[in-house]
Amino acid sequence: MSKDKSAGNNPLSGFISLAGACLGAAIILLGVPYLFGLLASGPGIAGMPAYGLESIFTLVTFGLLAALALGAIRLLRLPLRYGGPGLAAVGLGLGVAGCGCSVALCIIAGTAHAGSPPPPGIGLILLETLLVLFQSWAEEVYFRGWLQGDLTRRWGPMPALAVAALAFALLHFLAGASDPLSFITLLLGGLLFGLCYQRSGGLALPWALHFGWNWSEELLFGLYPNPGVGTFGALINLDLSGPAIWGGSGEGLNASLSSYIVLAALLCAVWFWPRPRPA
């Protein structure tokens, strides 16, 4: 047996990969905001429009995450598969429909109502669409392509799925999540994306689903931030107010029971996705 294969079958080495992924993400997610804070008073940064500063911040943060993940994937000789456009279309549809169903449950619960009209600017919406697409790709390459992919060959598919989803949820709190109720949504989302990765055998399905949900939440319904509308505007601006369990907190849909219900239903549906045949 070659050295590479024996290393891949060593369960203890999985902790090294897990520690490396968590430490790398923590350094990036804490270090980049700190550096931007130091540079914020400089003339080149202070004079930038908000959308320009947010765009650079997103590209730097998730560009570093993607670069680290791709380097680890190459070093560990992990396969990086995507799948066909059909899987991407299914994922996109599930993401948009899932977020829409979550919003519909909030409307039924009486917490969703129309906010102030969003400012016009289709150009900014298109720019943020590209940024959300890049951000969701970087996260999927990091947590599914690298972490879950490596832990699967060391610990097996189900432990890898659970650990990668837990890391996904915990590290989002370093990126700004603070409401404990959001942890359940992030954990369910990590499990859903990871299960999509397992069942489809590639990144196209979880990436498109991840993008579709995030894009709908921010740019279709204007639910992030809550209340109000983001820097890049939105097509519709809804605000959530009332009981926190139905999205009335500052973290909106992420801390809503409606998201728990929809994500759990999607998890059950994807569970019956046919497993890919071995190559």
Side-chain angles (χ1 to χ4, degrees):
M1 183 177 291
S2 69
K3 182 178 179 181
D4 181 65
K5 290 183 178 179
S6 64
N9 291 329
N10 181 5
L12 292 177
S13 60
F15 289 102
I16 299 176
S17 187
L18 174 61
C22 291
L23 181 61
I27 291 173
I28 293 170
L29 295 176
L30 293 175
V32 173
Y34 176 75
L35 291 176
F36 266 73
L38 293 177
L39 297 173
S41 58
I45 298 294
M48 290 185 64
Y51 68 84
L53 183 59
E54 189 171 333
S55 298
I56 295 174
F57 179 84
T58 300
L59 290 173
V60 171
T61 301
F62 292 95
L64 289 173
L65 284 175
L68 180 58
L70 293 174
I73 288 170
R74 182 177 180 85
L75 179 65
L76 297 169
R77 300 180 182 178
L78 296 171
L80 188 60
R81 304 185 183 97
Y82 286 90
L87 289 172
V90 170
L92 182 62
L94 288 175
V96 175
C99 186
C101 289
S102 183
V103 172
L105 290 175
C106 290
I107 293 174
I108 294 172
T111 57
H113 59 273
S116 58
I122 193 65
L124 291 181
I125 291 178
L126 291 175
L127 173 59
E128 178 66 351
T129 297
L130 295 176
L131 292 174
V132 174
L133 187 67
F134 177 69
Q135 176 179 342
S136 56
W137 169 78
E139 290 187 17
E140 291 309 305
V141 169
Y142 200 95
F143 290 100
R144 258 58 69 178
W146 172 16
L147 184 57
Q148 185 175 337
D150 190 38
L151 294 183
T152 295
R153 67 178 186 175
R154 301 178 192 276
W155 295 349
M158 298 315 293
L161 170 64
V163 171
L166 182 61
F168 176 81
L170 290 174
L171 288 170
H172 268 74
F173 275 75
L174 291 179
S178 59
D179 193 324
L181 295 174
S182 296
F183 179 79
I184 302 175
T185 301
L186 292 166
L187 182 60
L188 288 173
L191 290 171
L192 175 61
F193 303 145
L195 193 61
C196 286
Y197 177 68
Q198 278 189 3
R199 291 295 189 263
S200 66
L203 289 173
L205 181 63
W207 174 20
L209 198 161
H210 193 165
F211 164 74
W213 186 291
N214 287 4
W215 182 88
S216 299
E217 182 179 3
E218 180 178 354
L219 294 174
L220 177 58
F221 299 115
L223 289 170
Y224 181 81
N226 183 55
V229 68
T231 304
F232 297 86
L235 297 175
I236 305 169
N237 182 27
L238 296 177
D239 290 333
L240 300 177
S241 62
I245 194 64
W246 287 106
S249 70
E251 296 193 19
L253 211 58
N254 276 348
S256 172
L257 181 61
S258 64
S259 293
Y260 307 167
I261 295 171
V262 173
L263 290 171
L266 288 174
L267 265 171
C268 292
V270 175
W271 180 260
F272 295 100
W273 189 281
R275 291 173 173 83
R277 295 179 179 180

